[in-house]
Amino acid sequence: MLHYALYNRHRLCDAESLSQLQGGIMHRTETETMTAARLDELAQAINTVGEFCGPRDVSTLTQATVSAQLAKLMTATENTDQADALVLFGGSILHGVDVLAQGIRNGVAKHYVIVGGAGHTTQTLRDIAGQAFPSISTDGKTEAQIFAECLRERHGLSVDWLETKSTNCGNNITNLLDLLRGHLPDCRSLILCQDATMQLRMTAGLRKFAPDMTVINYAAYRTRVAPVEYTADRFPNDPATMLDHLTYIDEPEGMWPIDRYVSLLMGEIARLTDDEHGYGPRGNDFIAHVDVPDTVHQASALINTLLGDMTRTANPLFASAKR
């Protein structure tokens, strides 16, 4: 009887332990489910904003795709075999140099330009390019100079002109147009290649100052973010932890840390929104009007809700006067 009682006590204890363990598992599973849903929403929102800010008007940078796109945009009497110029902007991550090389090799344009002095992304480019190209000294050099040297070092290629005085997206465009007026006064079509976070704003700036110019967008990269593995005891309620649980899919060379990437994207939505605070005609009047879809505003609001305000503010050191 004693053995039987002890046996039953052990069975009871085991049953209680199992019940507690199952309860714990169920609790953790519920937490993990909530975490997964929240991270999925965040990743989808970031991707929605990223795709909006970084358009590509052609699927690949080839002469055939560019010619077909130009034929849609220009009159039948205009030459649509190549764009007049392909322009890489120095705000791009390092991967932009490979995109430029691809365009040159594929003959997508008659001329090639790199634009960029020193701005809020320049030191990052200097650091990353210096690591990727140890033979190149990047100290004190402009974005255009760094990209030109990387292009020569890695691909054995060069461009026609460099613009090295601009400090922001606004005078990237106005200085480019000044350069083109001096070297290519009959320019009618451009392929613009900028960092994907700033691509749409670059085109909106061009539409303000050169509304008759035909433009093909080709953002320097396309990437998406997705959730990675996480543990239930590290529930991502704070911005740093949530972003730690996201990773890039097909990460391009020199890609921003995710927190910097999100900050850049959120700054773009604030600038592209045409209200009294934005860069459009109803605000600072730096760029042409941009329609920001409701889906993008909703995605931006969700990011703010989950992460707090991550909007990148403009650095007055790199500001330029209105034209």
Side-chain angles (χ1 to χ4, degrees), residues 287-309:
I287 62 176
H289 173 79
V290 174
D291 287 319
V292 181
D294 289 342
T295 53
V296 174
H297 278 304
Q298 291 163 4
S300 175
L302 177 62
I303 294 169
N304 273 334
T305 297
L306 294 178
L307 301 181
D309 186 6

Side-chain angles (χ1 to χ4, degrees), residues 24-309:
I25 292 173
M26 290 299 292
H27 175 70
R28 289 198 298 272
T29 301
E30 181 180 356
T31 301
E32 289 176 354
T33 300
M34 291 171 61
T35 302
R38 191 173 280 191
L39 287 173
D40 281 339
E41 288 179 345
L42 177 61
Q44 290 170 14
I46 293 170
N47 292 334
T48 295
V49 177
E51 289 169 9
F52 174 70
C53 290
R56 282 185 172 181
D57 296 335
V58 292
S59 58
T60 56
L61 199 58
T62 65
Q63 188 170 357
T65 58
V66 167
S67 178
Q69 182 68 11
L70 289 174
K72 295 177 185 177
L73 301 173
M74 303 179 76
T75 65
T77 59
E78 295 177 289
N79 187 337
T80 60
D81 291 340
Q82 297 170 289
D84 288 321
L86 165 60
V87 185
L88 173 66
F89 293 94
S92 171
I93 61 170
L94 190 58
H95 181 68
V97 74
D98 297 326
V99 175
L100 175 59
Q102 179 188 39
I104 294 172
R105 289 198 175 104
N106 290 342
V108 299
K110 300 170 187 173
H111 300 280
Y112 300 90
V113 188
I114 304 176
V115 171
H120 70 93
T121 62
T122 308
Q123 191 56 50
T124 301
L125 177 64
R126 288 172 181 154
D127 294 342
I128 292 177
Q131 294 170 8
F133 297 87
S135 62
I136 295 175
S137 174
T138 62
D139 290 346
K141 290 184 179 176
T142 66
E143 296 166 347
Q145 290 169 330
I146 294 169
F147 271 116
E149 292 190 31
C150 294
L151 180 68
R152 188 179 303 109
E153 178 79 8
R154 177 174 288 178
H155 299 285
L157 299 171
S158 61
V159 298
D160 296 284
W161 307 296
L162 301 180
E163 186 287 315
T164 61
K165 302 297 183 184
S166 54
T167 60
N168 56 57
C169 286
N171 58 29
N172 278 168
I173 289 297
T174 54
N175 289 5
L176 168 65
L177 292 174
D178 289 343
L179 181 150
L180 293 175
R181 277 189 283 270
H183 294 283
L184 199 61
D186 295 328
C187 181
R188 298 284 300 149
S189 59
L190 294 172
I191 303 170
L192 300 188
C193 181
Q194 169 64 300
D195 191 88
T197 61
M198 296 173 268
Q199 177 72 37
L200 188 59
R201 179 155 58 100
M202 194 64 69
T203 305
L206 186 68
R207 286 195 292 111
K208 174 178 172 60
F209 292 103
D212 295 329
M213 187 74 71
T214 298
V215 180
I216 293 178
N217 283 294
Y218 198 80
Y221 57 89
R222 272 194 167 170
T223 190
R224 296 173 63 82
V225 301
V228 294
E229 293 292 330
Y230 54 86
T231 56
D233 61 345
R234 194 164 174 237
F235 189 77
N237 283 323
D238 64 89
T241 303
M242 289 201 78
L243 291 177
D244 283 347
H245 288 290
L246 297 180
T247 188
Y248 288 114
I249 301 172
D250 297 326
E251 180 177 352
E253 183 181 15
M255 187 58 187
W256 310 107
I258 286 186
D259 59 341
R260 179 80 183 275
Y261 177 58
V262 173
S263 176
L264 289 169
L265 288 176
M266 296 302 288
E268 288 306 299
I269 299 306
R271 290 160 174 78
L272 292 170
T273 299
D274 194 4
D275 58 19
E276 66 273 19
H277 306 294
Y279 281 12
R282 297 171 186 165
N284 289 284
D285 199 25
F286 293 149
I287 62 176
H289 173 79
V290 174
D291 287 319
V292 181
D294 289 342
T295 53
V296 174
H297 278 304
Q298 291 163 4
S300 175
L302 177 62
I303 294 169
N304 273 334
T305 297
L306 294 178
L307 301 181
D309 186 6

